[in-house]
Amino acid sequence: MLVYPSGVDVSSSALRFLSAKLRQHRRELGSRWRRLTPGRQALLTLANLRNGHPYAQLAAGFGISTTTAYRYVAEAVDLLAALAPTLEEAARTASTKALVLLDGTLLPIDRIAADRPFYSGKHKKHGMNVQVLADPSGRLLWASPALPGAVHDVRAAREHGIVDMLTDASITCWADKGYRGAGGTVRVPYWGRWETLSDGQKTVNRSHAKIRALVEQAVATLKSWRLLRKLRCSTTRITSLVQAALTLHLASSGR
């Protein structure tokens, strides 16, 4: 296999953060020698998450076996996922904001037509449903564990306890029509065909759409980790990948 230099568009603070965590993890394990230093293992992991390069290509570039590349990335991802903020921690951050924005996104996966639980009728493709919370400026605060794509957004929000958490903390939340019936402090647009809405309802819906649209920035931030744009791993690993990406984003943004 030919090998060539490549770049990873991730801040150096993310590399330093992950390197320090891996170095600490190795000390706790008592590891004496590895094929890659903590810094190189961190770079390997960032290249996988950010660029979505397969393990065979990464292994060739780093001079290790494909099995070792997989093991090193999996170790780093699990370490990062364990550091991701919980919903309760996100609630404490959200309580300092005027409101939060809630949206669901589908992470595409390579599944066949027979895998119906993972098929999203809304998106017309197989994937995993991930719920995202953002602040009023569209900055990513929290991402949920992944559920099969057939799960609707309002059901996913309830299963994760998002609606109850926001209501108990008296945090106003703006969401789209997919959360109709969520109740609590979740605010959704008026329901109905546009021509049947009153002028006042249309005005409210326009204002609502402008505010809620900022959550798309948070979704884009999550999917800037290109591995999440087309997942080819076991569905049991996807939550860890999402949480790892969240941790890296928050670490590199200083939050």
Side-chain angles (χ1 to χ4, degrees):
M1 182 179 295
L2 298 176
V3 179
Y4 65 94
S6 182
V8 184
D9 58 338
V10 178
S11 70
S12 58
S13 60
L15 179 64
R16 290 193 298 269
F17 172 81
L18 181 52
S19 298
K21 295 300 180 182
L22 287 169
R23 195 171 295 111
Q24 178 184 352
H25 180 64
R26 291 187 183 188
R27 285 198 299 266
E28 293 172 352
L29 292 177
S31 297
R32 293 187 176 182
W33 182 84
R34 299 250 189 135
R35 291 294 304 274
L36 297 181
T37 64
R40 293 287 286 174
Q41 184 181 357
L43 183 59
L44 171 73
T45 304
L46 293 176
N48 177 249
L49 292 174
R50 193 66 164 188
N51 294 337
H53 291 160
Y55 294 114
Q57 291 183 9
L58 292 171
F62 282 81
I64 55 179
S65 70
T66 302
T67 301
T68 300
Y70 173 82
R71 188 174 69 251
Y72 278 5
V73 171
E75 179 184 45
V77 165
D78 289 342
L79 185 61
L80 288 168
L83 299 173
T86 64
L87 183 58
E88 290 71 21
E89 292 170 337
R92 287 195 290 272
T93 302
S95 65
T96 64
K97 311 294 182 180
L99 54 90
V100 294
L101 308 173
L102 172 64
D103 198 12
T105 187
L106 188 80
L107 302 181
I109 60 175
D110 58 343
R111 286 298 183 272
I112 60 176
D115 295 320
R116 298 301 299 176
F118 299 100
Y119 185 77
S120 169
K122 174 182 177 182
H123 298 277
K124 308 300 182 185
K125 64 178 67 174
H126 292 80
M128 300 293 285
N129 181 303
V130 172
Q131 299 293 299
V132 171
L133 283 176
D135 69 10
S137 298
R139 291 187 290 263
L140 180 63
L141 297 177
W142 180 80
S144 75
L147 292 174
V151 177
H152 295 289
D153 284 339
V154 65
R155 177 185 161 192
R158 286 171 176 158
E159 288 194 16
H160 293 310
I162 300 172
V163 176
D164 290 339
M165 179 277 292
L166 294 172
T167 302
D168 292 343
S170 300
I171 301 172
T172 302
C173 172
W174 292 59
D176 63 21
K177 293 179 180 179
Y179 296 88
R180 187 167 65 104
T185 56
V186 178
R187 301 288 180 261
V188 298
Y190 284 104
W191 184 263
R193 295 176 63 86
W194 184 255
E195 59 271 16
T196 65
L197 299 178
S198 67
D199 290 340
Q201 291 173 329
K202 291 179 181 178
T203 299
V204 170
N205 279 8
R206 290 192 190 97
S207 176
H208 187 285
K210 289 180 181 179
I211 296 173
R212 194 203 64 77
L214 293 172
V215 75
E216 298 299 334
Q217 296 181 21
V219 174
T221 295
L222 188 63
K223 291 187 177 181
S224 66
W225 301 91
R226 297 179 186 89
L227 185 68
L228 300 180
R229 297 180 188 176
K230 184 63 175 180
L231 291 155
R232 296 177 174 83
C233 61
S234 168
T235 55
T236 60
R237 291 290 300 162
I238 294 177
T239 291
S240 293
L241 293 171
V242 170
Q243 299 300 307
L246 174 63
T247 298
L248 286 170
H249 166 69
L250 295 178
S252 60
S253 60
R255 288 185 286 149

